[in-house]
Amino acid sequence: MTQFFTAVLTSLSSGAIYALMSIALVLVWRSTRVVNFAQAGQAVLTTYIGYEVIQRTGSYWIALVAAIIGGAIIGAFIDRFFMRPIFKRVTSGPIVLIAPVVATLGLLGIIEAVIGVVWGLNNQSIEPPVSNAGFNVNGTVIAFSLFNAFVLGTVAIAMILLTLLFQKTNIGLALRASAYSPEISKLSGIRVDAVRTLGWAISGAAGGLAGMLYVPSTYLFPNAMDVLLVFGFIAAVIGGLESMVGAVVGAMVLGCAINFVATYISTALVFPTAFVVLILVLLVRPSGLFAGKKGRSA
Amino acid sequence: MLKHSKSKHSKKIHSSIDSPRKRLFLFILGGWLLLILSNQVGEFSLYQGAFVATYAVGIASIILLTGYSGQLSLGHGALMAVGAYAGALTINSLQWHPVVALIMATLVAGLFGLLLGGAVARFSGPYLAGTTLALAIALPSLANQFPILGGEQGLAFDVGASPARFGDDFSPYKWFFWIATLAALIIIWFVANIAASRFGRTFRAMRDNPIAAQLCGVNVARQKVTAFAISSGVAGLSGGLLVMLITGVSPSVFPLSLSLLLLSGAVVTGLYNLKGVILGGLVLVAIPEIAESLVTRIGGSENVANSLPGFLVSALLILAVMFTPNGPEHIFKRKH
Amino acid sequence: MNGLIVNNLTIDHGAIRAINNLSFIAPRGKLTAIIGSNGAGKTTLLRSLSGLKDVKNGSASWNGKSILNTRPENLARSGIMHVSDGKSVITELSVKDNLALAGLWRKDKKDVAAATVEVIELFPILGERIKQNAGSLSGGERQMLAIGRALIARPKLLLLDEPSLGLAPLVVEQIFQTIKSLTTKMDLTVVLVEQNAMGALKIADIGVVLNLGTVVAVDHAQTLLNDPAVRAAYLGI
Ligand SMILES: Nc1ncnc2c1ncn2[C@@H]1O[C@H](COP(=O)(O)OP(=O)(O)OP(=O)(O)O)[C@@H](O)[C@H]1O
Ligand SMILES: [Mg+2]
């Protein structure tokens, strides 16, 4: 019983981190029609920034803020000075279908290589701001800690803030409108390019937050976020790529599947489980759980 | 404009491979030249040449799938793994001839691709990319679960010594080179034929305009599965060759980065350009070498040495997308 | 010179010449109808005037300021609103949000609110549907929403692309009448592109007949309505 309960809690807290990554990918997909693989690089780079801030100030909290802001700046920068020129240049031929994705893969490689040069390949660690030791329930230590609770709470707050931003503010309306129909938005006077860059910034901030919440439980190295990116992407695909609610649901489904298999069967089956969940969902709904009614072809 | 440039593409394809007989002749000539060459160069170059051929086969599988049928796979490393394990089992458990093992690698991976493609080929762009990406990380880790596949240690893949009639001074590396080169030539020839056939035309029509293709009576779903299966088989062969060169197969041979490396090779080559696969293979083999010599020359730290190859591949990938998006040939013919 | 002046405009879609050395004037405060059959180049013309399509040859100015090859969002902000063809609403957003789009960037929020009220008075049905998704509206309602959205920006020049497309005759009549009254009441200059030549010429001040990307006739709308050649070719009478 305790085991089951613990599995639910750990599912939620790892699902929460997948959800952040998944939302980061969905935000960019909706506005730019690109699966941004560089997000793994952006997130790990911002986490290294957080790491450096901790080395200098000793404060996780300052580092957290720095990573979020840093993530936003890096995201905006990449859209403005990397993606936009690529979209301008590559307009014909068979490559058009995959050029943006390939470009983000290339960028991922570059970011990770640069990190490797600056910080090396060795594992670094970030101390969790609150205890990461499992709670003691009636004498048994469970696999859920205060830090896990902190992760869950932080992500929940981030989700609420994002939802408010998107649903209740003018900027949110511009973000949604530009994603659904760039042309009509432009004709209505909205600076769609700037709005898109803002979307990348928010996405980068979410990635930075994900990194700062994920790394304290493991280690920091150049490829530290790759797995998170894959899980985030799978979660986004399960959720239908378009929808932030879908991204969160997809992440929770994935988190549960992975943690339950890890708890009850074997930790070695984590990746195959992710694959099986993904393919089962897509076989039933080829565009994910929350895809819009009108199928977009891109 | 768009239409115009497309017709140009197809014309180029046809002129480069206009008649099957001429093609066959060219390939035999090419193979013969390469084998002659193999007597002139050192052991290490032969070994690297074998890698070039292996990567070329892998890149050909991507070109077939992405360039011709418009499906993006991020998981061809997994399909290589399927081929590699199938080949290893053929050698180790059935004790069959290594050449048969490579054929088995192709067939089993092709069959796997057929089954997988049956499920996933109807997924559109990012969904297919996501599924294949998940496959790339899932499948190799699954190999650990089955004792027959050797766990982390994996299995040996020993193609044995060269046949006695080639003589005593016929080194193992030369033997690798011969096998890999021959396989690469056959595959390139095979893929070129497919590209020029009715199949290839259908693939392209499907990629460029799936709805129109469907209305013209093309069974898009089936064609996609076919492309997926053939591409998987070719990838499986490349996996078999790869583990032949490193004489063993284990899950760690097929990291996600392998799938991405192949994609890079295909993009650098030009997604449409079969003749370029050798060039792509060369680039993939040359980059670590270049990185190493750069580091020894300018004396970079260990960090630089470890990161430089990845940096170079990625930079090349981005430059290729930016400046020669449809292959190096287009540098000279871009303005049309 | 006040109004929209288009001079020697030539636009290609790759190998296809959609607009060929086209010139016309849409005087300020007037309703100019541009009529022509399928493929005459009407949509291409409007898209170039609203910045959606870049142009290499020719010029176009609005109240003396050149407008070609300008970003559409900047043109929109300077008072040139283009209601593109096909009932251009964002179906995923509510009616309210669709209307709000054209006011997001405006500083004068009070006036945005006033304009919204005016639009709802003009098209009461939008008020009833205000919380619904635009995707659930009928074709006529969507057209009203698209025009209404443009009005929120307090435009000076309104470019309308086939507002009658696919609508029932009664609805077409209503929309045309609204367009006409807008022109006179709001000091609007309207360029109305239509295949429905009869309906458009009836409400317009000036008529421009387009064929294969060039102007084949310009005159007072009333004169064109009575011109036997135009009647035969475009009015089907
Ligand atoms: N994006 C495009 N690419 C290629 N050709 C185009 C494009 N848009 C329009 N054309 C061509 O340009 C010509 C003019 O098209 P346009 O859409 O401007 O006509 P239209 O007068 O609006 O027609 P309709 O009344 O059917 O809307 C047509 O021959 C059309 O095929
Ligand atoms: Mg039109």
mmCIF file of all heavy atoms in Angstrom, chain C residues 12-14 16-19 36-45 47 53 85 161-162 165 193-195 210, ligand 1:
data_model
loop_
_atom_site.group_PDB
_atom_site.id
_atom_site.type_symbol
_atom_site.label_atom_id
_atom_site.label_comp_id
_atom_site.label_asym_id
_atom_site.label_seq_id
_atom_site.Cartn_x
_atom_site.Cartn_y
_atom_site.Cartn_z
ATOM 1 N N ASP C 12 4.146 39.058 -59.914
ATOM 2 C CA ASP C 12 4.227 37.685 -60.419
ATOM 3 C C ASP C 12 4.150 36.703 -59.267
ATOM 4 O O ASP C 12 4.691 36.942 -58.194
ATOM 5 C CB ASP C 12 5.568 37.468 -61.142
ATOM 6 C CG ASP C 12 5.676 38.339 -62.380
ATOM 7 O OD1 ASP C 12 4.623 38.655 -62.951
ATOM 8 O OD2 ASP C 12 6.813 38.701 -62.752
ATOM 9 N N HIS C 13 3.486 35.599 -59.523
ATOM 10 C CA HIS C 13 3.631 34.432 -58.645
ATOM 11 C C HIS C 13 4.535 33.475 -59.393
ATOM 12 O O HIS C 13 4.058 32.688 -60.202
ATOM 13 C CB HIS C 13 2.295 33.737 -58.399
ATOM 14 C CG HIS C 13 1.343 34.541 -57.563
ATOM 15 N ND1 HIS C 13 1.569 34.779 -56.239
ATOM 16 C CD2 HIS C 13 0.178 35.143 -57.860
ATOM 17 C CE1 HIS C 13 0.571 35.495 -55.754
ATOM 18 N NE2 HIS C 13 -0.281 35.743 -56.714
ATOM 19 N N GLY C 14 5.820 33.550 -59.168
ATOM 20 C CA GLY C 14 6.719 32.717 -59.953
ATOM 21 C C GLY C 14 6.561 33.040 -61.420
ATOM 22 O O GLY C 14 6.786 34.170 -61.843
ATOM 23 N N ILE C 16 3.789 32.920 -63.077
ATOM 24 C CA ILE C 16 2.460 33.429 -63.413
ATOM 25 C C ILE C 16 2.377 34.918 -63.113
ATOM 26 O O ILE C 16 2.673 35.349 -61.989
ATOM 27 C CB ILE C 16 1.382 32.693 -62.588
ATOM 28 C CG1 ILE C 16 1.426 31.204 -62.887
ATOM 29 C CG2 ILE C 16 0.002 33.272 -62.874
ATOM 30 C CD1 ILE C 16 0.701 30.379 -61.858
ATOM 31 N N ARG C 17 1.977 35.708 -64.106
ATOM 32 C CA ARG C 17 1.806 37.150 -63.871
ATOM 33 C C ARG C 17 0.365 37.388 -63.426
ATOM 34 O O ARG C 17 -0.581 37.214 -64.195
ATOM 35 C CB ARG C 17 2.123 37.915 -65.146
ATOM 36 C CG ARG C 17 1.902 39.404 -65.020
ATOM 37 C CD ARG C 17 2.890 40.197 -65.840
ATOM 38 N NE ARG C 17 4.251 40.021 -65.332
ATOM 39 C CZ ARG C 17 5.307 40.653 -65.838
ATOM 40 N NH1 ARG C 17 5.168 41.470 -66.858
ATOM 41 N NH2 ARG C 17 6.501 40.458 -65.326
ATOM 42 N N ALA C 18 0.209 37.747 -62.165
ATOM 43 C CA ALA C 18 -1.141 37.907 -61.627
ATOM 44 C C ALA C 18 -1.652 39.332 -61.820
ATOM 45 O O ALA C 18 -2.834 39.547 -62.067
ATOM 46 C CB ALA C 18 -1.168 37.543 -60.148
ATOM 47 N N ILE C 19 -0.755 40.297 -61.680
ATOM 48 C CA ILE C 19 -1.124 41.708 -61.863
ATOM 49 C C ILE C 19 -0.190 42.282 -62.911
ATOM 50 O O ILE C 19 1.029 42.132 -62.815
ATOM 51 C CB ILE C 19 -0.941 42.489 -60.539
ATOM 52 C CG1 ILE C 19 -1.886 41.965 -59.461
ATOM 53 C CG2 ILE C 19 -1.149 43.978 -60.761
ATOM 54 C CD1 ILE C 19 -3.326 42.304 -59.701
ATOM 55 N N GLY C 36 -14.189 41.466 -61.070
ATOM 56 C CA GLY C 36 -13.453 40.664 -62.037
ATOM 57 C C GLY C 36 -13.696 39.204 -61.746
ATOM 58 O O GLY C 36 -14.080 38.842 -60.638
ATOM 59 N N SER C 37 -13.468 38.371 -62.769
ATOM 60 C CA SER C 37 -13.810 36.965 -62.596
ATOM 61 C C SER C 37 -12.704 36.234 -61.832
ATOM 62 O O SER C 37 -11.712 36.824 -61.432
ATOM 63 C CB SER C 37 -14.019 36.325 -63.963
ATOM 64 O OG SER C 37 -12.926 36.639 -64.782
ATOM 65 N N ASN C 38 -12.877 34.956 -61.671
ATOM 66 C CA ASN C 38 -11.881 34.127 -60.980
ATOM 67 C C ASN C 38 -10.503 34.307 -61.606
ATOM 68 O O ASN C 38 -10.361 34.278 -62.823
ATOM 69 C CB ASN C 38 -12.241 32.641 -61.092
ATOM 70 C CG ASN C 38 -13.402 32.271 -60.210
ATOM 71 O OD1 ASN C 38 -14.433 31.878 -60.682
ATOM 72 N ND2 ASN C 38 -13.227 32.420 -58.922
ATOM 73 N N GLY C 39 -9.515 34.482 -60.758
ATOM 74 C CA GLY C 39 -8.149 34.550 -61.270
ATOM 75 C C GLY C 39 -7.800 35.878 -61.903
ATOM 76 O O GLY C 39 -6.733 36.022 -62.498
ATOM 77 N N ALA C 40 -8.659 36.876 -61.776
ATOM 78 C CA ALA C 40 -8.369 38.176 -62.371
ATOM 79 C C ALA C 40 -7.215 38.871 -61.656
ATOM 80 O O ALA C 40 -6.600 39.786 -62.201
ATOM 81 C CB ALA C 40 -9.611 39.054 -62.332
ATOM 82 N N GLY C 41 -6.933 38.450 -60.433
ATOM 83 C CA GLY C 41 -5.826 39.063 -59.689
ATOM 84 C C GLY C 41 -6.282 39.917 -58.531
ATOM 85 O O GLY C 41 -5.484 40.653 -57.934
ATOM 86 N N LYS C 42 -7.551 39.831 -58.180
ATOM 87 C CA LYS C 42 -8.102 40.702 -57.144
ATOM 88 C C LYS C 42 -7.453 40.442 -55.783
ATOM 89 O O LYS C 42 -7.024 41.370 -55.093
ATOM 90 C CB LYS C 42 -9.621 40.473 -57.044
ATOM 91 C CG LYS C 42 -10.357 40.600 -58.376
ATOM 92 C CD LYS C 42 -11.848 40.400 -58.237
ATOM 93 C CE LYS C 42 -12.271 38.999 -57.786
ATOM 94 N NZ LYS C 42 -12.010 37.929 -58.746
ATOM 95 N N THR C 43 -7.393 39.168 -55.418
ATOM 96 C CA THR C 43 -6.811 38.846 -54.114
ATOM 97 C C THR C 43 -5.344 39.238 -54.068
ATOM 98 O O THR C 43 -4.860 39.815 -53.083
ATOM 99 C CB THR C 43 -6.972 37.333 -53.847
ATOM 100 O OG1 THR C 43 -8.355 37.030 -53.793
ATOM 101 C CG2 THR C 43 -6.318 36.936 -52.547
ATOM 102 N N THR C 44 -4.641 38.959 -55.165
ATOM 103 C CA THR C 44 -3.221 39.313 -55.221
ATOM 104 C C THR C 44 -3.039 40.813 -55.018
ATOM 105 O O THR C 44 -2.142 41.242 -54.283
ATOM 106 C CB THR C 44 -2.640 38.891 -56.577
ATOM 107 O OG1 THR C 44 -2.918 37.501 -56.776
ATOM 108 C CG2 THR C 44 -1.155 39.129 -56.629
ATOM 109 N N LEU C 45 -3.898 41.583 -55.648
ATOM 110 C CA LEU C 45 -3.817 43.038 -55.503
ATOM 111 C C LEU C 45 -3.958 43.451 -54.041
ATOM 112 O O LEU C 45 -3.140 44.193 -53.491
ATOM 113 C CB LEU C 45 -4.913 43.684 -56.354
ATOM 114 C CG LEU C 45 -5.097 45.185 -56.171
ATOM 115 C CD1 LEU C 45 -3.861 45.931 -56.632
ATOM 116 C CD2 LEU C 45 -6.329 45.685 -56.916
ATOM 117 N N ARG C 47 -3.554 41.669 -51.382
ATOM 118 C CA ARG C 47 -2.464 41.162 -50.539
ATOM 119 C C ARG C 47 -1.212 42.031 -50.670
ATOM 120 O O ARG C 47 -0.464 42.189 -49.711
ATOM 121 C CB ARG C 47 -2.139 39.700 -50.872
ATOM 122 C CG ARG C 47 -3.219 38.730 -50.398
ATOM 123 C CD ARG C 47 -2.914 37.302 -50.805
ATOM 124 N NE ARG C 47 -1.799 36.744 -50.060
ATOM 125 C CZ ARG C 47 -1.910 36.198 -48.855
ATOM 126 N NH1 ARG C 47 -3.098 36.146 -48.269
ATOM 127 N NH2 ARG C 47 -0.854 35.716 -48.241
ATOM 128 N N LYS C 53 2.168 40.540 -49.555
ATOM 129 C CA LYS C 53 2.940 40.076 -50.720
ATOM 130 C C LYS C 53 3.911 41.177 -51.133
ATOM 131 O O LYS C 53 3.513 42.334 -51.291
ATOM 132 C CB LYS C 53 1.967 39.750 -51.863
ATOM 133 C CG LYS C 53 2.625 39.458 -53.185
ATOM 134 C CD LYS C 53 2.461 38.005 -53.578
ATOM 135 C CE LYS C 53 3.262 37.674 -54.833
ATOM 136 N NZ LYS C 53 4.426 36.843 -54.606
ATOM 137 N N ASP C 85 -9.817 37.064 -47.804
ATOM 138 C CA ASP C 85 -10.934 36.248 -48.288
ATOM 139 C C ASP C 85 -11.136 35.015 -47.404
ATOM 140 O O ASP C 85 -10.278 34.619 -46.645
ATOM 141 C CB ASP C 85 -10.733 35.866 -49.761
ATOM 142 C CG ASP C 85 -9.378 35.207 -49.987
ATOM 143 O OD1 ASP C 85 -8.548 35.237 -49.060
ATOM 144 O OD2 ASP C 85 -9.165 34.682 -51.079
ATOM 145 N N ASP C 161 -11.985 41.601 -49.140
ATOM 146 C CA ASP C 161 -11.854 40.612 -50.210
ATOM 147 C C ASP C 161 -13.067 39.690 -50.236
ATOM 148 O O ASP C 161 -13.216 38.828 -49.369
ATOM 149 C CB ASP C 161 -10.565 39.806 -50.020
ATOM 150 C CG ASP C 161 -10.177 39.067 -51.289
ATOM 151 O OD1 ASP C 161 -11.017 38.979 -52.202
ATOM 152 O OD2 ASP C 161 -9.034 38.580 -51.368
ATOM 153 N N GLU C 162 -13.923 39.887 -51.199
ATOM 154 C CA GLU C 162 -15.103 39.050 -51.416
ATOM 155 C C GLU C 162 -15.898 38.744 -50.146
ATOM 156 O O GLU C 162 -16.038 37.593 -49.764
ATOM 157 C CB GLU C 162 -14.696 37.728 -52.080
ATOM 158 C CG GLU C 162 -14.039 37.981 -53.421
ATOM 159 C CD GLU C 162 -14.262 36.846 -54.403
ATOM 160 O OE1 GLU C 162 -15.405 36.313 -54.397
ATOM 161 O OE2 GLU C 162 -13.349 36.531 -55.167
ATOM 162 N N LEU C 165 -18.715 36.063 -50.478
ATOM 163 C CA LEU C 165 -18.425 34.689 -50.914
ATOM 164 C C LEU C 165 -19.164 33.652 -50.070
ATOM 165 O O LEU C 165 -19.019 33.592 -48.849
ATOM 166 C CB LEU C 165 -16.921 34.443 -50.827
ATOM 167 C CG LEU C 165 -16.419 33.171 -51.503
ATOM 168 C CD1 LEU C 165 -16.501 33.301 -53.006
ATOM 169 C CD2 LEU C 165 -14.986 32.882 -51.072
ATOM 170 N N VAL C 193 -13.435 44.223 -53.085
ATOM 171 C CA VAL C 193 -13.156 43.301 -54.185
ATOM 172 C C VAL C 193 -14.290 42.295 -54.266
ATOM 173 O O VAL C 193 -14.686 41.734 -53.253
ATOM 174 C CB VAL C 193 -11.799 42.607 -53.927
ATOM 175 C CG1 VAL C 193 -11.771 41.247 -54.571
ATOM 176 C CG2 VAL C 193 -10.660 43.467 -54.426
ATOM 177 N N GLU C 194 -14.845 42.116 -55.440
ATOM 178 C CA GLU C 194 -16.026 41.249 -55.535
ATOM 179 C C GLU C 194 -16.120 40.521 -56.868
ATOM 180 O O GLU C 194 -15.735 41.039 -57.914
ATOM 181 C CB GLU C 194 -17.304 42.086 -55.364
ATOM 182 C CG GLU C 194 -17.851 42.105 -53.956
ATOM 183 C CD GLU C 194 -18.215 40.732 -53.406
ATOM 184 O OE1 GLU C 194 -18.446 39.804 -54.187
ATOM 185 O OE2 GLU C 194 -18.251 40.589 -52.172
ATOM 186 N N GLN C 195 -16.644 39.315 -56.809
ATOM 187 C CA GLN C 195 -17.082 38.652 -58.031
ATOM 188 C C GLN C 195 -18.551 38.941 -58.290
ATOM 189 O O GLN C 195 -19.023 38.905 -59.410
ATOM 190 C CB GLN C 195 -16.912 37.137 -57.891
ATOM 191 C CG GLN C 195 -15.559 36.648 -58.330
ATOM 192 C CD GLN C 195 -15.596 35.163 -58.482
ATOM 193 O OE1 GLN C 195 -16.291 34.626 -59.338
ATOM 194 N NE2 GLN C 195 -14.838 34.478 -57.635
ATOM 195 N N LEU C 210 -11.498 44.487 -63.566
ATOM 196 C CA LEU C 210 -10.186 43.864 -63.697
ATOM 197 C C LEU C 210 -10.318 42.634 -64.586
ATOM 198 O O LEU C 210 -11.265 41.862 -64.453
ATOM 199 C CB LEU C 210 -9.736 43.412 -62.302
ATOM 200 C CG LEU C 210 -8.279 43.577 -61.934
ATOM 201 C CD1 LEU C 210 -7.894 45.029 -62.023
ATOM 202 C CD2 LEU C 210 -8.077 43.078 -60.498
HETATM 203 N N1 LIG D 1 0.365 31.764 -54.205
HETATM 204 C C1 LIG D 1 0.214 31.662 -55.530
HETATM 205 N N2 LIG D 1 1.080 30.931 -56.268
HETATM 206 C C2 LIG D 1 0.951 30.841 -57.591
HETATM 207 N N3 LIG D 1 -0.014 31.423 -58.297
HETATM 208 C C3 LIG D 1 -0.918 32.162 -57.635
HETATM 209 C C4 LIG D 1 -0.856 32.319 -56.223
HETATM 210 N N4 LIG D 1 -1.883 33.108 -55.838
HETATM 211 C C5 LIG D 1 -2.549 33.424 -56.958
HETATM 212 N N5 LIG D 1 -1.981 32.862 -58.043
HETATM 213 C C6 LIG D 1 -2.409 33.016 -59.432
HETATM 214 O O1 LIG D 1 -2.502 34.375 -59.720
HETATM 215 C C7 LIG D 1 -3.669 34.649 -60.464
HETATM 216 C C8 LIG D 1 -4.528 35.641 -59.744
HETATM 217 O O2 LIG D 1 -4.986 35.050 -58.557
HETATM 218 P P1 LIG D 1 -5.909 35.814 -57.496
HETATM 219 O O3 LIG D 1 -6.087 34.932 -56.324
HETATM 220 O O4 LIG D 1 -5.324 37.144 -57.254
HETATM 221 O O5 LIG D 1 -7.269 35.947 -58.284
HETATM 222 P P2 LIG D 1 -8.678 36.451 -57.771
HETATM 223 O O6 LIG D 1 -9.071 37.520 -58.700
HETATM 224 O O7 LIG D 1 -8.639 36.769 -56.334
HETATM 225 O O8 LIG D 1 -9.563 35.183 -58.014
HETATM 226 P P3 LIG D 1 -10.859 34.679 -57.183
HETATM 227 O O9 LIG D 1 -11.993 35.525 -57.614
HETATM 228 O O10 LIG D 1 -11.021 33.286 -57.627
HETATM 229 O O11 LIG D 1 -10.534 34.820 -55.740
HETATM 230 C C9 LIG D 1 -4.346 33.317 -60.684
HETATM 231 O O12 LIG D 1 -3.986 32.858 -61.954
HETATM 232 C C10 LIG D 1 -3.785 32.442 -59.637
HETATM 233 O O13 LIG D 1 -3.719 31.112 -60.079
#
